[in-house]
Amino acid sequence: MRRFGVWINALWILLFALFRSASSSYSEDQCSWRGSGLSQQQGSVEQISLHCSEGTLDWLYPKGALRLTLSPRLPSVAVGPGGSSSGLITACVKPAEQFRGAQLYLEQDGVLELLVGDRLDSSSPPRVRCFSRLPGEKVALFLQATPHQDISRRIASFRYELRGDWTARLSLDSNPISSEVVRGNIRSVAEDDNLRAAVIKVSATRVFRQKYALFPGNGRVSRRGEVRTLLQCGVKPGPGSFLFTGRVHFGEAWLGCAPRYKDFQRAYATAKAAQQIPCELPVD
């Protein structure tokens, strides 16, 4: 009986070693994690938990496996236009160009779905993968190291984003006032087959609001930048001034809406008179 008790204690010690927590490995803001597989045992699974809406993971010299739980502190309800709520959270991952040494899976109901394979011999650009979850449902990702005799120069790195989403489209935040807002003209429109998107080159005559320096420069000269949108939107180059609004998705601007500026001025004046605007813009 004593021997059986010793065996049980040894088993618990082994399980604790295999499924140890990685809480001391990520940054203080709990958004990103960087670690090495050199200290991991073969066949072990390291548990990681991050609590931000965006961040990065860098796994150097992958060995064994990682299980990453994403539980950001998003607003409790993702409210869309008109006060409606679809209750969906959209999560996206973007692998690094040199994502090597591991495979990335989405874990759902005990089933693993491959999101990103080992890009050791891949020459194609990495693709962003997105999926949806209900509020309160944790997002779990599983990284499995691929067997290699030489694990040097292998890093499995990716960025992630989670957003409250009421229209199942990329990069829509739960806060409509946090949009990037730019007035400008369309210089050209080109298709990006790798992104499966249209790239709109814009000359901005005025930047009302931008969180990131997507249109660098000062107010005395026209600023130039790019905005992306889905191919099915059918954006074409044409004359006139437009008001571009949208979100930043993995460091790139994605179009939300682009009315002609004169049409926006009329709609804005009407809404302001009726006191139905969430924020004010210094329109001409």
Side-chain angles (χ1 to χ4, degrees):
M1 188 71 179
R2 181 180 179 183
R3 182 178 180 182
F4 180 76
V6 172
W7 184 86
I8 290 294
N9 289 334
L11 178 61
W12 275 110
I13 293 173
L14 176 62
L15 289 175
F16 180 78
L18 292 179
F19 293 90
R20 65 190 182 278
S21 170
S23 59
S24 61
S25 298
Y26 53 73
S27 59
E28 292 183 359
D29 58 8
Q30 300 185 5
C31 297
S32 300
W33 181 90
R34 182 180 177 89
S36 170
L38 294 178
S39 60
Q40 271 187 258
Q41 297 295 326
Q42 190 70 33
S44 65
V45 180
E46 190 159 345
Q47 302 288 328
I48 303 168
S49 182
L50 300 178
H51 305 282
C52 296
S53 60
E54 58 185 72
T56 60
L57 182 141
D58 300 305
W59 193 18
L60 286 68
Y61 319 118
K63 186 178 180 182
L66 302 178
R67 186 178 185 273
L68 171 62
T69 302
L70 300 176
S71 52
R73 300 179 182 91
L74 294 174
S76 58
V77 178
V79 179
S84 62
S85 172
S86 69
L88 283 179
I89 302 298
T90 294
C92 296
V93 294
K94 182 178 183 180
E97 188 77 28
Q98 303 297 326
F99 184 96
R100 294 178 177 178
Q103 293 180 314
L104 176 62
Y105 296 86
L106 170 64
E107 180 184 312
Q108 184 175 12
D109 299 328
V111 178
L112 297 179
E113 175 187 347
L114 181 64
L115 296 178
V116 182
D118 192 333
R119 294 179 49 82
L120 180 61
D121 300 317
S122 177
S123 58
S124 61
R127 290 179 53 191
V128 174
R129 297 294 303 273
C130 297
F131 46 91
S132 297
R133 284 291 182 270
L134 294 173
E137 185 179 4
K138 292 183 179 180
V139 175
L141 300 174
F142 190 84
L143 287 94
Q144 176 70 55
T146 51
H148 294 286
Q149 291 184 348
D150 179 15
I151 63 173
S152 63
R153 294 186 296 179
R154 286 180 170 83
I155 301 177
S157 178
F158 67 88
R159 299 167 64 182
Y160 72 87
E161 287 186 356
L162 292 92
R163 295 287 184 266
D165 189 348
W166 59 82
T167 62
R169 293 187 302 175
L170 290 177
S171 68
L172 286 181
D173 200 296
S174 57
N175 181 7
I177 304 180
S178 65
S179 300
E180 313 289 312
V181 184
V182 172
R183 177 187 175 184
N185 306 309
I186 299 177
R187 294 166 45 221
S188 65
V189 179
E191 291 187 6
D192 189 318
D193 294 332
N194 295 326
L195 285 174
R196 298 181 181 179
V199 181
I200 310 168
K201 295 186 181 296
V202 176
S203 292
T205 56
R206 185 168 187 177
V207 177
F208 292 98
R209 182 185 296 116
Q210 65 172 348
K211 183 178 180 180
Y212 305 93
L214 302 174
F215 290 85
N218 54 52
R220 293 175 293 178
V221 296
S222 176
R223 308 184 188 186
R224 293 191 173 188
E226 295 180 350
V227 180
R228 287 158 175 79
T229 189
L230 301 178
L231 287 175
Q232 53 263 40
C233 294
V235 176
K236 303 293 182 183
S241 180
F242 297 84
L243 185 73
F244 298 92
T245 67
R247 311 287 175 179
V248 175
H249 183 61
F250 291 122
E252 297 173 340
W254 283 81
L255 184 66
C257 185
R260 290 190 178 274
Y261 190 70
K262 61 181 181 181
D263 295 334
F264 165 76
Q265 285 179 305
R266 288 195 294 266
Y268 181 85
T270 302
K272 186 174 182 179
Q275 298 183 344
Q276 295 179 344
I277 54 174
C279 62
E280 293 193 9
L281 290 177
V283 296
D284 299 334

